[in-house]
Amino acid sequence: MQISELSDRSGLTVQTIKFYIREELLPKGTASGATRAEYDEGHLERLRLIRALREVGDLPVAAIRRILAAVENDAVGMHDLFGTTQYAIGPHVTPPDDPHWRAARQDVDALIAELGWHVTDRAPARDLLAQTFVALRRLGFPVTLTDLRPYVHAAAEVAEHEIGRVTDGAPRSRTVHSMLVSTVLYEQVLTALHRLAQEDASARRFGTAEG
Amino acid sequence: MQISELSDRSGLTVQTIKFYIREELLPKGTASGATRAEYDEGHLERLRLIRALREVGDLPVAAIRRILAAVENDAVGMHDLFGTTQYAIGPHVTPPDDPHWRAARQDVDALIAELGWHVTDRAPARDLLAQTFVALRRLGFPVTLTDLRPYVHAAAEVAEHEIGRVTDGAPRSRTVHSMLVSTVLYEQVLTALHRLAQEDASARRFGTAEG
């Protein structure tokens, strides 16, 4: 297909596609004349992934380049490909150097060890969780394993489902795309459903004004 | 206690406390001399709630005033008190007037009806969820009830636990405080745990590089 069709089908402007080619995020098309190039379904799929990484993951070009390199390098296993993607996605917390933070981060590390979860030391979500522990304690809400248990259980259940949905042998770029979407967009789905479920649970426990 | 002790114990500056008194978020102390006033535990608890609403809920003074009025008015039932708080917390979505949005919002409404959840039509989380449906479809991920089921189940389980934790007969301001914290901070706990659990599920399914 020509660049105009690629633009139509990807929902990206010709200018944006040319920018991605200059930045070497997208391979050039095959020359089919002095000023024409042909693009294929591989280009389209690649563009859809780039678009998702930019719009959903809000990732800078350098991070997208890193992820695409991992997608193309078959020596990078699925688990590392997933890690490369997830670790690139924000929010990233810069740990302050204070004792409250260090205590919270130790508690997070102890929790993960107790759960027996396989998570690297540099996983950004460790700091994300430590940040919430600091905030909870500052407001006078100590965090105990008992308080955390329902959240741990819910998170594990959802993650198990998400990883289970990955199809063996699917194209790597499609798999990264799905992982990105479950990390970012289904996280927001979970947040919205949590609020709706709270309202329902409150209505059942306390009753609504109408009865 | 005097205002200096109130400042120490609440972690707020004397200037901030005086600002809340001027804004009528906090009642004046009892005059105990020409320039002195006495404050009690009720002032301290109120200040802690205001601090949480500002720092955690990121709420403007007008919204805080509305919530405090509901806390003080015993005619407002627990369920409405909870709704007043939850609906004030962002993010708030301004629905665009386009057919994709309307279709997504109808799907959200149909989902909630099918689940039989007691949620008002004006609940902001309906729009929050509709927004994620629009984004998912734009990226080529249709949303089905089957895809949503694990998230619905996890959200319901967590919400049930949170509402179940509310102690009958606890001070209303303390209850609002806990609700706020579970809506905002435990939502972040859930997000961080979700990412950690994804990494663990991926390690178990695909294996880590070390084996």
Side-chain angles (χ1 to χ4, degrees), chain A residues 193-209 211, chain B residues 78-80 82 115-119 152-153 155-164:
Chain A
L193 285 170
H194 177 220
R195 295 195 180 187
L196 295 167
Q198 277 185 332
E199 181 169 338
D200 175 59
S202 161
R204 282 182 289 105
R205 163 122 190 230
F206 301 116
T208 57
Chain B
M78 282 310 293
H79 180 64
D80 287 335
F82 174 57
L115 293 170
W117 283 2
H118 288 82
V119 171
V152 165
H153 186 251
E157 195 176 71
V158 163
E160 197 69 37
H161 163 82
E162 287 166 340
I163 299 295

PDB file of all heavy atoms in Angstrom, chain A residues 193-209 211, chain B residues 78-80 82 115-119 152-153 155-164:
ATOM      1  N   LEU A 193     -14.235   0.602  38.002  1.00  0.00           N
ATOM      2  CA  LEU A 193     -15.124  -0.436  38.545  1.00  0.00           C
ATOM      3  C   LEU A 193     -15.058  -0.465  40.070  1.00  0.00           C
ATOM      4  O   LEU A 193     -16.062  -0.706  40.742  1.00  0.00           O
ATOM      5  CB  LEU A 193     -14.748  -1.805  37.972  1.00  0.00           C
ATOM      6  CG  LEU A 193     -15.159  -2.057  36.522  1.00  0.00           C
ATOM      7  CD1 LEU A 193     -14.508  -3.334  36.000  1.00  0.00           C
ATOM      8  CD2 LEU A 193     -16.687  -2.159  36.381  1.00  0.00           C
ATOM      9  N   HIS A 194     -13.885  -0.205  40.622  1.00  0.00           N
ATOM     10  CA  HIS A 194     -13.719  -0.165  42.076  1.00  0.00           C
ATOM     11  C   HIS A 194     -14.642   0.899  42.690  1.00  0.00           C
ATOM     12  O   HIS A 194     -15.334   0.655  43.671  1.00  0.00           O
ATOM     13  CB  HIS A 194     -12.245   0.137  42.386  1.00  0.00           C
ATOM     14  CG  HIS A 194     -11.924   0.289  43.834  1.00  0.00           C
ATOM     15  ND1 HIS A 194     -11.066   1.237  44.315  1.00  0.00           N
ATOM     16  CD2 HIS A 194     -12.347  -0.395  44.924  1.00  0.00           C
ATOM     17  CE1 HIS A 194     -10.971   1.129  45.633  1.00  0.00           C
ATOM     18  NE2 HIS A 194     -11.727   0.147  46.025  1.00  0.00           N
ATOM     19  N   ARG A 195     -14.679   2.063  42.055  1.00  0.00           N
ATOM     20  CA  ARG A 195     -15.542   3.132  42.588  1.00  0.00           C
ATOM     21  C   ARG A 195     -17.023   2.777  42.467  1.00  0.00           C
ATOM     22  O   ARG A 195     -17.823   3.031  43.364  1.00  0.00           O
ATOM     23  CB  ARG A 195     -15.248   4.445  41.871  1.00  0.00           C
ATOM     24  CG  ARG A 195     -13.832   4.897  42.171  1.00  0.00           C
ATOM     25  CD  ARG A 195     -13.608   6.327  41.794  1.00  0.00           C
ATOM     26  NE  ARG A 195     -12.230   6.686  42.107  1.00  0.00           N
ATOM     27  CZ  ARG A 195     -11.746   7.915  42.027  1.00  0.00           C
ATOM     28  NH1 ARG A 195     -12.536   8.907  41.640  1.00  0.00           N
ATOM     29  NH2 ARG A 195     -10.497   8.170  42.324  1.00  0.00           N
ATOM     30  N   LEU A 196     -17.379   2.180  41.334  1.00  0.00           N
ATOM     31  CA  LEU A 196     -18.777   1.783  41.138  1.00  0.00           C
ATOM     32  C   LEU A 196     -19.153   0.701  42.150  1.00  0.00           C
ATOM     33  O   LEU A 196     -20.242   0.733  42.739  1.00  0.00           O
ATOM     34  CB  LEU A 196     -18.985   1.279  39.707  1.00  0.00           C
ATOM     35  CG  LEU A 196     -18.780   2.332  38.599  1.00  0.00           C
ATOM     36  CD1 LEU A 196     -18.686   1.672  37.226  1.00  0.00           C
ATOM     37  CD2 LEU A 196     -19.908   3.374  38.623  1.00  0.00           C
ATOM     38  N   ALA A 197     -18.245  -0.238  42.366  1.00  0.00           N
ATOM     39  CA  ALA A 197     -18.520  -1.335  43.304  1.00  0.00           C
ATOM     40  C   ALA A 197     -18.616  -0.819  44.739  1.00  0.00           C
ATOM     41  O   ALA A 197     -19.415  -1.311  45.537  1.00  0.00           O
ATOM     42  CB  ALA A 197     -17.421  -2.397  43.191  1.00  0.00           C
ATOM     43  N   GLN A 198     -17.811   0.205  45.065  1.00  0.00           N
ATOM     44  CA  GLN A 198     -17.904   0.810  46.404  1.00  0.00           C
ATOM     45  C   GLN A 198     -19.292   1.409  46.621  1.00  0.00           C
ATOM     46  O   GLN A 198     -19.888   1.243  47.689  1.00  0.00           O
ATOM     47  CB  GLN A 198     -16.881   1.942  46.550  1.00  0.00           C
ATOM     48  CG  GLN A 198     -15.480   1.505  46.915  1.00  0.00           C
ATOM     49  CD  GLN A 198     -14.582   2.711  47.161  1.00  0.00           C
ATOM     50  OE1 GLN A 198     -14.788   3.786  46.602  1.00  0.00           O
ATOM     51  NE2 GLN A 198     -13.572   2.520  47.992  1.00  0.00           N
ATOM     52  N   GLU A 199     -19.789   2.097  45.593  1.00  0.00           N
ATOM     53  CA  GLU A 199     -21.110   2.711  45.746  1.00  0.00           C
ATOM     54  C   GLU A 199     -22.170   1.647  45.952  1.00  0.00           C
ATOM     55  O   GLU A 199     -23.059   1.773  46.805  1.00  0.00           O
ATOM     56  CB  GLU A 199     -21.444   3.577  44.517  1.00  0.00           C
ATOM     57  CG  GLU A 199     -22.799   4.256  44.661  1.00  0.00           C
ATOM     58  CD  GLU A 199     -23.065   5.325  43.606  1.00  0.00           C
ATOM     59  OE1 GLU A 199     -22.118   5.863  43.014  1.00  0.00           O
ATOM     60  OE2 GLU A 199     -24.260   5.616  43.393  1.00  0.00           O
ATOM     61  N   ASP A 200     -22.071   0.573  45.189  1.00  0.00           N
ATOM     62  CA  ASP A 200     -23.036  -0.519  45.327  1.00  0.00           C
ATOM     63  C   ASP A 200     -22.942  -1.164  46.712  1.00  0.00           C
ATOM     64  O   ASP A 200     -23.961  -1.411  47.363  1.00  0.00           O
ATOM     65  CB  ASP A 200     -22.787  -1.554  44.226  1.00  0.00           C
ATOM     66  CG  ASP A 200     -23.673  -2.775  44.384  1.00  0.00           C
ATOM     67  OD1 ASP A 200     -24.914  -2.596  44.373  1.00  0.00           O
ATOM     68  OD2 ASP A 200     -23.143  -3.885  44.548  1.00  0.00           O
ATOM     69  N   ALA A 201     -21.706  -1.416  47.171  1.00  0.00           N
ATOM     70  CA  ALA A 201     -21.534  -2.050  48.490  1.00  0.00           C
ATOM     71  C   ALA A 201     -22.074  -1.133  49.594  1.00  0.00           C
ATOM     72  O   ALA A 201     -22.694  -1.597  50.559  1.00  0.00           O
ATOM     73  CB  ALA A 201     -20.054  -2.373  48.726  1.00  0.00           C
ATOM     74  N   SER A 202     -21.855   0.170  49.431  1.00  0.00           N
ATOM     75  CA  SER A 202     -22.365   1.128  50.413  1.00  0.00           C
ATOM     76  C   SER A 202     -23.893   1.148  50.414  1.00  0.00           C
ATOM     77  O   SER A 202     -24.534   1.190  51.468  1.00  0.00           O
ATOM     78  CB  SER A 202     -21.796   2.516  50.103  1.00  0.00           C
ATOM     79  OG  SER A 202     -22.564   3.524  50.716  1.00  0.00           O
ATOM     80  N   ALA A 203     -24.494   1.108  49.210  1.00  0.00           N
ATOM     81  CA  ALA A 203     -25.967   1.103  49.117  1.00  0.00           C
ATOM     82  C   ALA A 203     -26.536  -0.136  49.818  1.00  0.00           C
ATOM     83  O   ALA A 203     -27.528  -0.059  50.536  1.00  0.00           O
ATOM     84  CB  ALA A 203     -26.401   1.121  47.645  1.00  0.00           C
ATOM     85  N   ARG A 204     -25.886  -1.285  49.606  1.00  0.00           N
ATOM     86  CA  ARG A 204     -26.393  -2.505  50.232  1.00  0.00           C
ATOM     87  C   ARG A 204     -26.198  -2.493  51.743  1.00  0.00           C
ATOM     88  O   ARG A 204     -27.036  -2.950  52.485  1.00  0.00           O
ATOM     89  CB  ARG A 204     -25.755  -3.735  49.590  1.00  0.00           C
ATOM     90  CG  ARG A 204     -26.405  -4.074  48.233  1.00  0.00           C
ATOM     91  CD  ARG A 204     -25.843  -5.320  47.589  1.00  0.00           C
ATOM     92  NE  ARG A 204     -24.484  -5.122  47.101  1.00  0.00           N
ATOM     93  CZ  ARG A 204     -23.384  -5.584  47.675  1.00  0.00           C
ATOM     94  NH1 ARG A 204     -23.474  -6.338  48.762  1.00  0.00           N
ATOM     95  NH2 ARG A 204     -22.202  -5.332  47.172  1.00  0.00           N
ATOM     96  N   ARG A 205     -25.094  -1.918  52.189  1.00  0.00           N
ATOM     97  CA  ARG A 205     -24.864  -1.915  53.632  1.00  0.00           C
ATOM     98  C   ARG A 205     -25.687  -0.851  54.355  1.00  0.00           C
ATOM     99  O   ARG A 205     -26.263  -1.100  55.408  1.00  0.00           O
ATOM    100  CB  ARG A 205     -23.372  -1.699  53.918  1.00  0.00           C
ATOM    101  CG  ARG A 205     -23.063  -1.274  55.331  1.00  0.00           C
ATOM    102  CD  ARG A 205     -22.129  -2.172  56.075  1.00  0.00           C
ATOM    103  NE  ARG A 205     -22.087  -1.820  57.488  1.00  0.00           N
ATOM    104  CZ  ARG A 205     -20.993  -1.622  58.189  1.00  0.00           C
ATOM    105  NH1 ARG A 205     -19.828  -1.808  57.629  1.00  0.00           N
ATOM    106  NH2 ARG A 205     -21.048  -1.282  59.470  1.00  0.00           N
ATOM    107  N   PHE A 206     -25.702   0.366  53.811  1.00  0.00           N
ATOM    108  CA  PHE A 206     -26.323   1.470  54.544  1.00  0.00           C
ATOM    109  C   PHE A 206     -27.724   1.801  54.037  1.00  0.00           C
ATOM    110  O   PHE A 206     -28.450   2.534  54.684  1.00  0.00           O
ATOM    111  CB  PHE A 206     -25.449   2.730  54.459  1.00  0.00           C
ATOM    112  CG  PHE A 206     -24.065   2.525  55.004  1.00  0.00           C
ATOM    113  CD1 PHE A 206     -22.954   2.615  54.191  1.00  0.00           C
ATOM    114  CD2 PHE A 206     -23.875   2.224  56.357  1.00  0.00           C
ATOM    115  CE1 PHE A 206     -21.679   2.423  54.699  1.00  0.00           C
ATOM    116  CE2 PHE A 206     -22.600   2.027  56.867  1.00  0.00           C
ATOM    117  CZ  PHE A 206     -21.495   2.122  56.034  1.00  0.00           C
ATOM    118  N   GLY A 207     -28.088   1.288  52.856  1.00  0.00           N
ATOM    119  CA  GLY A 207     -29.384   1.607  52.279  1.00  0.00           C
ATOM    120  C   GLY A 207     -29.356   2.960  51.610  1.00  0.00           C
ATOM    121  O   GLY A 207     -28.625   3.847  52.027  1.00  0.00           O
ATOM    122  N   THR A 208     -30.119   3.103  50.525  1.00  0.00           N
ATOM    123  CA  THR A 208     -30.195   4.398  49.851  1.00  0.00           C
ATOM    124  C   THR A 208     -31.343   5.185  50.451  1.00  0.00           C
ATOM    125  O   THR A 208     -32.174   4.639  51.177  1.00  0.00           O
ATOM    126  CB  THR A 208     -30.441   4.214  48.344  1.00  0.00           C
ATOM    127  OG1 THR A 208     -31.644   3.455  48.192  1.00  0.00           O
ATOM    128  CG2 THR A 208     -29.300   3.451  47.686  1.00  0.00           C
ATOM    129  N   ALA A 209     -31.394   6.497  50.159  1.00  0.00           N
ATOM    130  CA  ALA A 209     -32.432   7.361  50.737  1.00  0.00           C
ATOM    131  C   ALA A 209     -33.828   6.865  50.353  1.00  0.00           C
ATOM    132  O   ALA A 209     -34.766   6.925  51.149  1.00  0.00           O
ATOM    133  CB  ALA A 209     -32.226   8.798  50.271  1.00  0.00           C
ATOM    134  N   GLY A 211     -34.816   3.988  50.127  1.00  0.00           N
ATOM    135  CA  GLY A 211     -35.173   2.777  50.873  1.00  0.00           C
ATOM    136  C   GLY A 211     -34.087   1.804  50.618  1.00  0.00           C
ATOM    137  O   GLY A 211     -34.100   0.713  50.385  1.00  0.00           O
TER     138      GLY A 211
ATOM    139  N   MET B  78     -25.358   7.607  55.983  1.00  0.00           N
ATOM    140  CA  MET B  78     -23.990   7.188  55.677  1.00  0.00           C
ATOM    141  C   MET B  78     -23.768   7.020  54.168  1.00  0.00           C
ATOM    142  O   MET B  78     -22.714   7.362  53.644  1.00  0.00           O
ATOM    143  CB  MET B  78     -23.657   5.858  56.369  1.00  0.00           C
ATOM    144  CG  MET B  78     -23.342   5.972  57.838  1.00  0.00           C
ATOM    145  SD  MET B  78     -22.105   7.243  58.213  1.00  0.00           S
ATOM    146  CE  MET B  78     -20.675   6.515  57.434  1.00  0.00           C
ATOM    147  N   HIS B  79     -24.766   6.450  53.490  1.00  0.00           N
ATOM    148  CA  HIS B  79     -24.578   6.202  52.056  1.00  0.00           C
ATOM    149  C   HIS B  79     -24.430   7.523  51.285  1.00  0.00           C
ATOM    150  O   HIS B  79     -23.591   7.646  50.395  1.00  0.00           O
ATOM    151  CB  HIS B  79     -25.753   5.383  51.513  1.00  0.00           C
ATOM    152  CG  HIS B  79     -25.634   5.095  50.044  1.00  0.00           C
ATOM    153  ND1 HIS B  79     -24.617   4.332  49.524  1.00  0.00           N
ATOM    154  CD2 HIS B  79     -26.380   5.494  48.984  1.00  0.00           C
ATOM    155  CE1 HIS B  79     -24.754   4.256  48.201  1.00  0.00           C
ATOM    156  NE2 HIS B  79     -25.813   4.957  47.852  1.00  0.00           N
ATOM    157  N   ASP B  80     -25.247   8.522  51.654  1.00  0.00           N
ATOM    158  CA  ASP B  80     -25.150   9.820  50.974  1.00  0.00           C
ATOM    159  C   ASP B  80     -23.868  10.549  51.342  1.00  0.00           C
ATOM    160  O   ASP B  80     -23.285  11.274  50.526  1.00  0.00           O
ATOM    161  CB  ASP B  80     -26.373  10.686  51.302  1.00  0.00           C
ATOM    162  CG  ASP B  80     -27.603  10.163  50.583  1.00  0.00           C
ATOM    163  OD1 ASP B  80     -27.437   9.508  49.530  1.00  0.00           O
ATOM    164  OD2 ASP B  80     -28.716  10.371  51.077  1.00  0.00           O
ATOM    165  N   PHE B  82     -21.076   9.101  51.992  1.00  0.00           N
ATOM    166  CA  PHE B  82     -20.061   8.443  51.189  1.00  0.00           C
ATOM    167  C   PHE B  82     -20.098   8.947  49.746  1.00  0.00           C
ATOM    168  O   PHE B  82     -19.068   9.260  49.149  1.00  0.00           O
ATOM    169  CB  PHE B  82     -20.291   6.931  51.251  1.00  0.00           C
ATOM    170  CG  PHE B  82     -19.390   6.169  50.349  1.00  0.00           C
ATOM    171  CD1 PHE B  82     -18.019   6.299  50.468  1.00  0.00           C
ATOM    172  CD2 PHE B  82     -19.909   5.332  49.372  1.00  0.00           C
ATOM    173  CE1 PHE B  82     -17.171   5.599  49.619  1.00  0.00           C
ATOM    174  CE2 PHE B  82     -19.060   4.640  48.527  1.00  0.00           C
ATOM    175  CZ  PHE B  82     -17.693   4.777  48.644  1.00  0.00           C
ATOM    176  N   LEU B 115     -25.238  -6.080  36.036  1.00  0.00           N
ATOM    177  CA  LEU B 115     -24.645  -6.504  37.306  1.00  0.00           C
ATOM    178  C   LEU B 115     -25.603  -6.273  38.468  1.00  0.00           C
ATOM    179  O   LEU B 115     -25.422  -6.827  39.549  1.00  0.00           O
ATOM    180  CB  LEU B 115     -23.341  -5.735  37.566  1.00  0.00           C
ATOM    181  CG  LEU B 115     -22.166  -6.023  36.626  1.00  0.00           C
ATOM    182  CD1 LEU B 115     -21.039  -5.022  36.851  1.00  0.00           C
ATOM    183  CD2 LEU B 115     -21.660  -7.454  36.803  1.00  0.00           C
ATOM    184  N   GLY B 116     -26.623  -5.420  38.223  1.00  0.00           N
ATOM    185  CA  GLY B 116     -27.580  -5.115  39.290  1.00  0.00           C
ATOM    186  C   GLY B 116     -26.985  -4.220  40.365  1.00  0.00           C
ATOM    187  O   GLY B 116     -27.449  -4.201  41.504  1.00  0.00           O
ATOM    188  N   TRP B 117     -25.940  -3.453  40.005  1.00  0.00           N
ATOM    189  CA  TRP B 117     -25.300  -2.583  40.993  1.00  0.00           C
ATOM    190  C   TRP B 117     -26.145  -1.331  41.239  1.00  0.00           C
ATOM    191  O   TRP B 117     -26.709  -0.755  40.316  1.00  0.00           O
ATOM    192  CB  TRP B 117     -23.900  -2.176  40.515  1.00  0.00           C
ATOM    193  CG  TRP B 117     -22.883  -3.264  40.681  1.00  0.00           C
ATOM    194  CD1 TRP B 117     -23.090  -4.525  41.162  1.00  0.00           C
ATOM    195  CD2 TRP B 117     -21.485  -3.196  40.357  1.00  0.00           C
ATOM    196  NE1 TRP B 117     -21.916  -5.232  41.168  1.00  0.00           N
ATOM    197  CE2 TRP B 117     -20.912  -4.452  40.680  1.00  0.00           C
ATOM    198  CE3 TRP B 117     -20.658  -2.197  39.832  1.00  0.00           C
ATOM    199  CZ2 TRP B 117     -19.549  -4.723  40.494  1.00  0.00           C
ATOM    200  CZ3 TRP B 117     -19.310  -2.474  39.647  1.00  0.00           C
ATOM    201  CH2 TRP B 117     -18.763  -3.722  39.984  1.00  0.00           C
ATOM    202  N   HIS B 118     -26.216  -0.901  42.501  1.00  0.00           N
ATOM    203  CA  HIS B 118     -26.914   0.323  42.874  1.00  0.00           C
ATOM    204  C   HIS B 118     -25.972   1.498  42.731  1.00  0.00           C
ATOM    205  O   HIS B 118     -25.198   1.796  43.645  1.00  0.00           O
ATOM    206  CB  HIS B 118     -27.388   0.250  44.326  1.00  0.00           C
ATOM    207  CG  HIS B 118     -28.524  -0.682  44.515  1.00  0.00           C
ATOM    208  ND1 HIS B 118     -28.346  -2.043  44.654  1.00  0.00           N
ATOM    209  CD2 HIS B 118     -29.866  -0.465  44.563  1.00  0.00           C
ATOM    210  CE1 HIS B 118     -29.529  -2.626  44.788  1.00  0.00           C
ATOM    211  NE2 HIS B 118     -30.463  -1.698  44.730  1.00  0.00           N
ATOM    212  N   VAL B 119     -26.042   2.160  41.592  1.00  0.00           N
ATOM    213  CA  VAL B 119     -25.144   3.283  41.299  1.00  0.00           C
ATOM    214  C   VAL B 119     -26.007   4.351  40.634  1.00  0.00           C
ATOM    215  O   VAL B 119     -26.753   4.048  39.710  1.00  0.00           O
ATOM    216  CB  VAL B 119     -24.014   2.837  40.347  1.00  0.00           C
ATOM    217  CG1 VAL B 119     -23.206   4.019  39.869  1.00  0.00           C
ATOM    218  CG2 VAL B 119     -23.118   1.791  41.010  1.00  0.00           C
ATOM    219  N   VAL B 152     -14.413  -6.968  37.195  1.00  0.00           N
ATOM    220  CA  VAL B 152     -15.641  -6.761  37.970  1.00  0.00           C
ATOM    221  C   VAL B 152     -15.547  -7.537  39.279  1.00  0.00           C
ATOM    222  O   VAL B 152     -15.839  -7.018  40.363  1.00  0.00           O
ATOM    223  CB  VAL B 152     -16.877  -7.242  37.166  1.00  0.00           C
ATOM    224  CG1 VAL B 152     -18.101  -7.375  38.057  1.00  0.00           C
ATOM    225  CG2 VAL B 152     -17.156  -6.291  36.000  1.00  0.00           C
ATOM    226  N   HIS B 153     -15.109  -8.772  39.175  1.00  0.00           N
ATOM    227  CA  HIS B 153     -15.034  -9.635  40.343  1.00  0.00           C
ATOM    228  C   HIS B 153     -14.037  -9.087  41.364  1.00  0.00           C
ATOM    229  O   HIS B 153     -14.328  -8.991  42.558  1.00  0.00           O
ATOM    230  CB  HIS B 153     -14.638 -11.047  39.892  1.00  0.00           C
ATOM    231  CG  HIS B 153     -14.666 -12.030  40.997  1.00  0.00           C
ATOM    232  ND1 HIS B 153     -13.524 -12.564  41.535  1.00  0.00           N
ATOM    233  CD2 HIS B 153     -15.686 -12.547  41.701  1.00  0.00           C
ATOM    234  CE1 HIS B 153     -13.845 -13.385  42.509  1.00  0.00           C
ATOM    235  NE2 HIS B 153     -15.160 -13.404  42.630  1.00  0.00           N
ATOM    236  N   ALA B 155     -12.934  -5.966  41.647  1.00  0.00           N
ATOM    237  CA  ALA B 155     -13.404  -4.681  42.181  1.00  0.00           C
ATOM    238  C   ALA B 155     -14.470  -4.899  43.247  1.00  0.00           C
ATOM    239  O   ALA B 155     -14.465  -4.250  44.300  1.00  0.00           O
ATOM    240  CB  ALA B 155     -13.954  -3.817  41.047  1.00  0.00           C
ATOM    241  N   ALA B 156     -15.378  -5.828  42.989  1.00  0.00           N
ATOM    242  CA  ALA B 156     -16.477  -6.086  43.927  1.00  0.00           C
ATOM    243  C   ALA B 156     -15.933  -6.651  45.239  1.00  0.00           C
ATOM    244  O   ALA B 156     -16.377  -6.271  46.325  1.00  0.00           O
ATOM    245  CB  ALA B 156     -17.489  -7.049  43.305  1.00  0.00           C
ATOM    246  N   GLU B 157     -14.960  -7.526  45.127  1.00  0.00           N
ATOM    247  CA  GLU B 157     -14.381  -8.165  46.302  1.00  0.00           C
ATOM    248  C   GLU B 157     -13.696  -7.140  47.204  1.00  0.00           C
ATOM    249  O   GLU B 157     -13.880  -7.121  48.428  1.00  0.00           O
ATOM    250  CB  GLU B 157     -13.346  -9.178  45.787  1.00  0.00           C
ATOM    251  CG  GLU B 157     -12.875 -10.182  46.782  1.00  0.00           C
ATOM    252  CD  GLU B 157     -11.922 -11.171  46.090  1.00  0.00           C
ATOM    253  OE1 GLU B 157     -10.791 -10.779  45.739  1.00  0.00           O
ATOM    254  OE2 GLU B 157     -12.338 -12.318  45.898  1.00  0.00           O
ATOM    255  N   VAL B 158     -12.920  -6.260  46.573  1.00  0.00           N
ATOM    256  CA  VAL B 158     -12.199  -5.234  47.318  1.00  0.00           C
ATOM    257  C   VAL B 158     -13.185  -4.240  47.963  1.00  0.00           C
ATOM    258  O   VAL B 158     -13.046  -3.872  49.126  1.00  0.00           O
ATOM    259  CB  VAL B 158     -11.195  -4.516  46.380  1.00  0.00           C
ATOM    260  CG1 VAL B 158     -10.722  -3.213  46.965  1.00  0.00           C
ATOM    261  CG2 VAL B 158     -10.006  -5.436  46.084  1.00  0.00           C
ATOM    262  N   ALA B 159     -14.191  -3.827  47.198  1.00  0.00           N
ATOM    263  CA  ALA B 159     -15.159  -2.849  47.708  1.00  0.00           C
ATOM    264  C   ALA B 159     -15.954  -3.433  48.878  1.00  0.00           C
ATOM    265  O   ALA B 159     -16.204  -2.752  49.873  1.00  0.00           O
ATOM    266  CB  ALA B 159     -16.104  -2.419  46.586  1.00  0.00           C
ATOM    267  N   GLU B 160     -16.329  -4.679  48.755  1.00  0.00           N
ATOM    268  CA  GLU B 160     -17.077  -5.355  49.816  1.00  0.00           C
ATOM    269  C   GLU B 160     -16.265  -5.327  51.108  1.00  0.00           C
ATOM    270  O   GLU B 160     -16.785  -5.029  52.196  1.00  0.00           O
ATOM    271  CB  GLU B 160     -17.319  -6.818  49.390  1.00  0.00           C
ATOM    272  CG  GLU B 160     -18.397  -7.531  50.154  1.00  0.00           C
ATOM    273  CD  GLU B 160     -19.780  -6.984  49.845  1.00  0.00           C
ATOM    274  OE1 GLU B 160     -20.040  -6.625  48.677  1.00  0.00           O
ATOM    275  OE2 GLU B 160     -20.588  -6.885  50.802  1.00  0.00           O
ATOM    276  N   HIS B 161     -14.996  -5.625  50.982  1.00  0.00           N
ATOM    277  CA  HIS B 161     -14.096  -5.605  52.134  1.00  0.00           C
ATOM    278  C   HIS B 161     -14.011  -4.202  52.740  1.00  0.00           C
ATOM    279  O   HIS B 161     -14.080  -4.021  53.962  1.00  0.00           O
ATOM    280  CB  HIS B 161     -12.718  -6.097  51.686  1.00  0.00           C
ATOM    281  CG  HIS B 161     -11.624  -5.757  52.630  1.00  0.00           C
ATOM    282  ND1 HIS B 161     -11.371  -6.514  53.756  1.00  0.00           N
ATOM    283  CD2 HIS B 161     -10.738  -4.731  52.652  1.00  0.00           C
ATOM    284  CE1 HIS B 161     -10.359  -5.966  54.418  1.00  0.00           C
ATOM    285  NE2 HIS B 161      -9.962  -4.902  53.768  1.00  0.00           N
ATOM    286  N   GLU B 162     -13.888  -3.197  51.873  1.00  0.00           N
ATOM    287  CA  GLU B 162     -13.719  -1.825  52.363  1.00  0.00           C
ATOM    288  C   GLU B 162     -14.949  -1.331  53.107  1.00  0.00           C
ATOM    289  O   GLU B 162     -14.846  -0.707  54.161  1.00  0.00           O
ATOM    290  CB  GLU B 162     -13.410  -0.887  51.183  1.00  0.00           C
ATOM    291  CG  GLU B 162     -12.000  -1.094  50.654  1.00  0.00           C
ATOM    292  CD  GLU B 162     -11.755  -0.459  49.304  1.00  0.00           C
ATOM    293  OE1 GLU B 162     -12.730  -0.180  48.571  1.00  0.00           O
ATOM    294  OE2 GLU B 162     -10.589  -0.263  48.957  1.00  0.00           O
ATOM    295  N   ILE B 163     -16.119  -1.583  52.517  1.00  0.00           N
ATOM    296  CA  ILE B 163     -17.346  -1.116  53.169  1.00  0.00           C
ATOM    297  C   ILE B 163     -17.595  -1.938  54.441  1.00  0.00           C
ATOM    298  O   ILE B 163     -18.085  -1.427  55.443  1.00  0.00           O
ATOM    299  CB  ILE B 163     -18.540  -1.187  52.187  1.00  0.00           C
ATOM    300  CG1 ILE B 163     -18.286  -0.289  50.962  1.00  0.00           C
ATOM    301  CG2 ILE B 163     -19.842  -0.808  52.875  1.00  0.00           C
ATOM    302  CD1 ILE B 163     -18.195   1.201  51.230  1.00  0.00           C
ATOM    303  N   GLY B 164     -17.207  -3.202  54.398  1.00  0.00           N
ATOM    304  CA  GLY B 164     -17.374  -4.056  55.574  1.00  0.00           C
ATOM    305  C   GLY B 164     -16.528  -3.614  56.756  1.00  0.00           C
ATOM    306  O   GLY B 164     -16.841  -3.906  57.914  1.00  0.00           O
TER     307      GLY B 164
END
